[in-house]
């Protein structure tokens, strides 16, 4: 039975209109979404030349009957929407009925489809929007759409396409993330030479992450799962003309569920490309959620870097308006602030609970070129069979296979490099990248790093690696300082290196916040008032936060038109630093685009006082002072990073040491 119909003009006019075909990845996105809407459980994508030459999406979904196969190319022809009311609760990824005609108008398209209930299938060929042929044919159940020569008839748009590797990178990222959102389905992505992704169905997102990115990535992520009941307020009312349904009863407010993964604080990305947010299975970009994430990582990550996030939000369809933007990547939430706070608090709670310590061997180097994150691990070139074998047993104990060919990861934009400590087999750690496949150039003598157990001279020690947890920070014995800046300490878990400044900063930061809460911040009266010159903008910011500054131990009064006189400063801050500190603080707020909230103001002020009052580097410390610092640190709520997000401690676990000495 035919399912597709052309929407009435009335409904069509209510749909956010616009061009959806921007680049190969947008074609792939529309086709994937159609396959998912068609209930497919297997989706295979083939591309050539970054999608410029060929894009093919093959699914085993419901297929289309003969009449529908032609109707699908009419504007506003869809099987997913009937009337304007349906727009209020869209449960499918598509609903506009525009993707296929748009794509067909700028490419050579071949559709092969058969609905399960029909004996034969249909093949339609279209070029530049003109139907060339329609044939009946014996076909497998499902749909295959092949797009050749995208933009062949619109050279202007073709010119805007980027290099093949860039376009391929976008496609790979897209397919990968849809694969992550639907672990229960079988996904494949192939180029002419590579099986880039072959992922058999698995029961959980964690297993899918393992399949796609490997253990390394999974270890750097923290799972998140939380639910909140929606308040009744704000629920959309049925339209006045709708007949009330006597059996319906009071509408259930439903709930919002969030699950997915957020990265540990030691993972730092230079842009937001590694943040993926899905709402009801749809990949979206959303400022509100991004803001909630930034808030969650406040004082855990430095403000200029970003985490890796895979967030799946599930909510009643009536809670989210997806008819906002033609490419359906922007949405509007009905209960914005409730959702914002829910996401922020859930992520924050996971981060606080995990308290993971950065590993000694994983210092992150922020590279300005860091780009596409979470790009899929490439399976070995041209060997799909082998690739399938690799994924068949995703929980094999070995780390996922390394590709035999160095440089086969051709996405151009590399994620941040993770560099190894010299003691830990440089060849092994040399080029580990987060979220992409590990590329290891076969270095000369690299085998030397593989422990040969049988021949090792000492007894083998085989203990499981201790999980990273900063409760281990208790009982540290300081040994001394490196360059009068970093405290070396030991405990049974291993060797620790503590940044003395960052450590003291963290201690003071938490203490100041606590004192502020109890309204007992310590301050000192300055011998002479300090005169600070401010710009007009700084003066405005000062006026805005002065009340809070006073509660934090600053007492300043206007002194002339552009000057303030500071009479009292927070305890521990040298009189000589007051000027600089105030300037830094005011400048920070000046740069802020978002409006200030009290919590943020307090945290900034506390971080600034802590920074200026803390012990500096290049400062010798007596044994008892080091002991005090370590003890106090172990009692902080969040000891792994300073308020600016830099790591406070690095750990070299016993296992790392044993490994380096080839005892395991
Ligand atoms: P929309 O997805 O917004 O409805 P499209 O132009 O993407 O609009 O697709 C038009 C119609 O074609 C869909 O409503 C659906 O009925 C049908 N269709 C498209 N792709 C598939 C597919 N892979 N399997 C089954 N039906 C499909
Ligand atoms: Mg569609």
């Amino acid at each position: 039975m035919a399912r597709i119909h052309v929407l009435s003009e009335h409904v069509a006019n209510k749909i956010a209109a616009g061009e959806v075909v921007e680049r190969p990845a947008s074609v792939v996105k529309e086709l994937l979404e159609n396959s998912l809407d068609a209930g497919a459980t297997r989706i295979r994508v083939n591309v050539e030349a970054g999608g410029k030459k060929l894009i093919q999406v093959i699914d085993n979904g419901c297929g289309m009957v003969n009449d529908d196969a032609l109707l699908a190319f009419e504007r506003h022809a869809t099987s997913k929407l009937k009337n304007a009311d349906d727009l209020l609760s869209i449960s499918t990824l598509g609903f506009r009925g525009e993707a296929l005609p748009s794509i067909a108008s700028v490419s050579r398209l071949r559709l092969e489809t058969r609905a399960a209930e029909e004996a034969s299938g249909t093949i339609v060929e279209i070029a530049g929007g003109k139907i060339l042929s329609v044939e009946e044919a014996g076909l497998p159940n499902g749909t295959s759409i092949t797009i050749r020569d995208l933009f062949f008839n619109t050279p202007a748009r073709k010119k805007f396409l980027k290099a093949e590797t860039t376009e391929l990178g976008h496609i790979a990222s897209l397919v990968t993330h849809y694969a992550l959102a639907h672990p229960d389905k079988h996904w494949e992505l192939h180029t002419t030479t590579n099986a880039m992704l072959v992922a058999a169905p698995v029961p959980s997102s964690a297993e899918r992450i393992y399949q796609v990115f490997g253990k390394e990535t999974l270890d750097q992520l923290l799972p998140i799962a939380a639910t909140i009941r929606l308040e009744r307020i704000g629920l959309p009312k049925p339209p006045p003309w709708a007949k009330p349904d006597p059996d319906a009863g009071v509408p259930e407010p439903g709930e919002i569920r969030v699950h997915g993964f957020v990265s540990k604080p030691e993972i730092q990305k230079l842009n937001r490309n590694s943040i993926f947010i899905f709402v009801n299975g749809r990949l979206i970009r959303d400022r509100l959620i991004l803001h909630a994430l930034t808030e969650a990582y406040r004082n855990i990550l430095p403000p200029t870097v970003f985490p890796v996030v895979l967030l799946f939000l599930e909510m009643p369809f009536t809670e989210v308006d997806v008819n906002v933007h033609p490419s359906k990547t922007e949405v509007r939430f009905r209960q914005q602030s409730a959702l914002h706070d829910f996401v922020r608090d859930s992520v924050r709670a996971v981060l606080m609970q995990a308290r993971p310590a950065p590993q000694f061997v994983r210092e992150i180097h922020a590279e300005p070129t860091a780009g596409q994150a979470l790009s899929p691990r490439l399976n070995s070139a041209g060997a799909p069979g082998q690739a399938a074998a690799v994924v068949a047993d995703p929980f094999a104990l070995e780390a996922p296979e390394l590709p035999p060919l160095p440089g086969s990861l051709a996405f151009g934009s590399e994620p941040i490099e993770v560099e190894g400590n010299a003691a830990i087999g440089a060849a092994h750690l040399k080029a580990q990248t987060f979220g992409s496949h590990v590329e290891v150039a076969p270095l000369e003598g690299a085998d030397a790093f593989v422990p040969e157990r049988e021949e090792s001279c000492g007894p083998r020690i085989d203990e499981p690696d201790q999980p990273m947890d900063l409760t281990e920070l208790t009982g540290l014995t300081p040994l001394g300082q490196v360059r009068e800046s970093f405290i070396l300490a030991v405990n049974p878990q291993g060797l620790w290196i503590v940044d003395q400044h960052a450590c003291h900063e963290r201690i003071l930061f938490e203490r100041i916040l606590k004192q502020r809460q109890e309204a007992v911040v310590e301050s000192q009266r300055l011998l002479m008032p300090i005169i600070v010159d401010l710009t007009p903008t700084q003066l405005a910011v000062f006026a805005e936060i002065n009340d809070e500054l006073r509660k934090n131990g600053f007492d300043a009064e206007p002194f002339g038109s552009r000057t303030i006189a500071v009479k009292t400063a927070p305890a521990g801050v040298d009189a000589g630093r007051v000027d600089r500190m105030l300037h830094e603080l005011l400048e920070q707020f000046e740069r802020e685009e978002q409006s200030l909230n009290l919590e943020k103001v307090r945290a900034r002020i506390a971080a600034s006082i802590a920074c200026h009052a803390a012990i500096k580097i290049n400062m010798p410390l007596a044994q008892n002072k080091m002991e005090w610092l370590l003890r106090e640190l172990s009692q902080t709520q969040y000891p792994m990073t300073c308020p600016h997000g830099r790591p406070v401690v690095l750990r070299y676990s016993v296992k790392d040491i044993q490994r380096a000495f080839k005892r395991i």
Side-chain angles (χ1 to χ4, degrees):
M1 202 188 79
R3 285 176 281 241
I4 302 182
H5 49 265
V6 177
L7 292 173
S8 71
E9 206 175 321
H10 167 70
V11 181
N13 288 341
K14 287 194 155 115
I15 289 176
E19 204 41 76
V20 292
V21 192
E22 236 180 274
R23 61 187 333 161
S26 34
V27 172
V28 176
K29 176 171 181 288
E30 292 296 336
L31 297 181
L32 286 189
E33 292 190 347
N34 279 346
S35 297
L36 288 168
D37 282 344
T41 55
R42 289 181 74 94
I43 300 177
R44 177 180 169 132
V45 182
N46 298 323
V47 290
E48 279 176 34
K52 293 183 191 182
K53 205 160 149 204
L54 175 124
I55 297 168
Q56 184 174 42
V57 176
I58 307 165
D59 70 47
N60 67 348
C62 65
M64 288 176 253
V65 298
N66 185 275
D67 290 348
D68 281 354
L70 276 176
L71 205 47
F73 294 97
E74 297 280 330
R75 291 250 168 226
H76 297 306
T78 179
S79 56
K80 302 169 195 176
L81 207 64
K82 287 201 173 64
N83 51 46
D85 284 356
D86 290 348
L87 275 173
L88 297 177
S89 72
I90 293 168
S91 59
T92 47
L93 296 167
F95 56 87
R96 307 168 62 244
E98 283 202 316
L100 288 186
S102 303
I103 297 167
S105 67
V106 291
S107 67
R108 299 182 215 280
L109 183 149
R110 180 184 170 93
L111 164 73
E112 300 181 11
T113 187
R114 181 171 73 83
E117 65 261 33
E118 300 247 301
S120 65
T122 312
I123 300 179
V124 181
E125 299 234 32
I126 304 180
K130 279 205 195 68
I131 298 183
L132 303 181
S133 66
V134 183
E135 284 166 30
E136 216 181 286
L139 291 171
N141 182 23
T143 302
S144 155
I145 298 190
T146 313
I147 314 294
R148 281 177 212 279
D149 306 326
L150 186 62
F151 299 145
F152 78 97
N153 54 350
T154 51
R157 275 208 262 173
K158 194 170 179 176
K159 263 214 315 257
F160 276 101
L161 292 179
K162 298 271 175 354
E164 283 175 18
T165 46
T166 311
E167 297 298 345
L168 180 62
H170 284 286
I171 294 173
S173 170
L174 185 91
V175 178
T176 307
H177 288 90
Y178 268 98
L180 289 166
H182 299 273
D184 55 330
K185 301 190 190 294
H186 179 107
W187 293 86
E188 292 188 31
L189 171 63
H190 299 265
T191 64
T192 34
T193 52
N194 266 356
M196 295 183 76
L197 175 77
V198 178
V202 282
S204 72
S205 313
E207 284 160 79
R208 181 50 58 88
I209 288 180
Y210 183 95
Q211 273 182 331
V212 178
F213 300 129
K215 182 173 181 304
E216 188 85 16
T217 302
L218 193 55
D219 286 348
Q220 288 163 335
L221 298 176
L222 300 165
I224 170 173
T227 308
I228 187 176
R229 304 277 309 156
L230 276 165
E231 293 303 321
R232 194 73 56 76
I233 43 145
L235 272 189
K237 300 227 165 31
W241 60 87
K243 263 200 238 131
D245 179 354
D247 303 331
V250 187
E252 260 292 300
E255 58 187 27
I256 302 184
R257 222 160 66 78
V258 61
H259 64 107
F261 297 85
V262 295
S263 58
K264 296 178 181 174
E266 66 260 37
I267 304 306
Q268 309 195 341
K269 297 285 181 184
L270 290 187
N271 54 39
R272 295 195 176 87
N273 291 356
S274 313
I275 300 179
F276 289 86
I277 303 158
F278 286 82
V279 173
N280 293 340
R282 182 193 306 279
L283 183 62
I284 60 146
R285 285 266 137 211
D286 185 73
R287 288 172 67 90
L288 180 83
I289 310 274
L290 284 177
H291 187 259
L293 291 170
T294 312
E295 293 273 291
Y297 277 89
R298 183 174 299 289
N299 301 320
I300 294 176
L301 277 187
T304 49
V305 300
F306 302 91
V308 173
V309 176
L310 263 176
L311 217 54
F312 302 105
L313 283 158
E314 246 86 51
M315 60 190 74
F317 298 118
T318 46
E319 282 300 309
V320 49
D321 184 2
V322 293
N323 183 23
V324 178
H325 191 264
S327 67
K328 299 166 287 176
T329 48
E330 280 171 33
V331 296
R332 209 166 12 223
F333 298 107
R334 282 189 207 282
Q335 313 220 23
Q336 298 210 358
S337 66
L339 181 70
H340 172 276
D341 295 357
F342 170 58
V343 170
R344 180 197 59 200
D345 297 345
S346 313
V347 173
R348 186 87 186 168
V350 167
L351 291 169
M352 292 306 250
Q353 203 184 8
R355 301 172 116 218
Q359 275 166 284
F360 183 65
V361 295
R362 299 272 161 72
E363 252 309 78
I364 308 288
H365 284 272
E367 272 184 15
T369 52
Q372 202 110 31
L374 289 187
S375 18
R377 202 155 51 84
L378 293 184
N379 283 315
S380 49
Q386 192 188 337
V390 172
V391 295
D393 183 12
F395 281 96
L397 281 175
E398 291 84 7
E401 276 194 2
L402 307 181
L405 297 173
S408 63
L409 184 82
F411 288 173
S413 44
E414 271 301 292
I416 288 168
E417 268 221 350
V418 178
E419 205 177 68
N421 171 272
I424 309 290
H428 177 60
L429 281 162
K430 187 69 189 295
Q432 283 194 16
T433 52
F434 178 74
S436 70
H437 204 322
V438 181
E439 290 179 272
V440 178
L443 291 187
E444 283 247 287
D447 317 359
F449 292 102
V450 181
E452 289 194 27
R453 300 194 159 174
E454 288 73 21
E455 289 166 31
S456 69
C457 58
R460 244 180 58 209
I461 314 163
D462 233 342
E463 280 174 24
D465 218 345
Q466 301 282 340
M468 275 299 190
D469 180 347
L470 288 179
T471 44
E472 295 173 5
L473 268 177
T474 45
L476 279 178
T477 313
L479 302 177
Q481 287 168 286
V482 179
R483 294 214 177 179
E484 298 178 336
S485 300
F486 306 101
I487 302 170
L488 277 187
V490 285
N491 71 359
Q493 277 72 42
L495 170 69
W496 300 73
I497 303 187
V498 181
D499 178 322
Q500 63 193 42
H501 172 70
C503 167
H504 198 198
E505 250 187 315
R506 168 53 65 182
I507 297 166
L508 291 176
F509 174 66
E510 291 193 9
R511 184 194 292 167
I512 295 162
L513 281 182
K514 190 154 169 279
Q515 288 179 346
R516 171 65 193 87
Q517 215 167 22
E518 294 160 4
V520 291
V521 179
E522 296 162 28
S523 62
Q524 49 177 343
R525 197 158 182 89
L526 301 169
L527 282 176
M528 295 269 292
I530 293 170
I531 310 297
V532 183
D533 293 329
L534 299 178
T535 65
T537 339
Q538 287 171 341
L539 262 177
V541 180
F542 175 76
E544 204 177 325
I545 63 168
N546 189 16
D547 191 38
E548 193 51 41
L549 280 172
R550 187 167 300 127
K551 291 178 178 148
N552 276 284
F554 279 104
D555 192 2
E557 278 174 7
F559 184 81
S561 61
R562 289 235 187 125
T563 317
I564 54 167
V566 186
K567 295 181 183 159
T568 314
V573 179
D574 266 4
R577 300 182 73 96
V578 168
D579 185 323
R580 199 166 118 214
M581 177 177 162
L582 270 177
H583 273 119
E584 271 174 24
L585 197 58
L586 295 174
E587 267 164 30
Q588 266 183 33
F589 285 121
E590 246 182 278
R591 266 185 270 128
E592 188 74 28
E593 285 166 22
Q594 309 276 344
S595 63
L596 300 177
N597 66 43
L598 194 58
E599 206 186 325
K600 208 190 296 183
V601 172
R602 279 186 192 167
R604 286 272 172 84
I605 293 176
S608 183
I609 300 173
C611 178
H612 288 274
I615 295 168
K616 306 286 166 303
I617 55 164
N618 296 316
M619 186 182 273
L621 296 177
Q623 183 76 10
N624 61 357
K625 187 81 184 181
M626 291 192 277
E627 278 164 9
W628 178 85
L629 275 174
L630 297 177
R631 203 170 44 242
E632 290 287 308
L633 181 68
S634 72
Q635 278 158 23
T636 57
Q637 222 190 349
Y638 205 72
M640 71 269 216
T641 51
C642 81
H644 306 106
R646 286 194 301 272
V648 172
V649 286
L650 302 176
R651 187 188 74 156
Y652 199 1
S653 74
V654 175
K655 188 101 176 173
D656 293 332
I657 298 171
Q658 290 166 341
R659 218 177 267 137
F661 283 116
K662 315 261 177 285
R663 293 201 166 269
I664 51 171

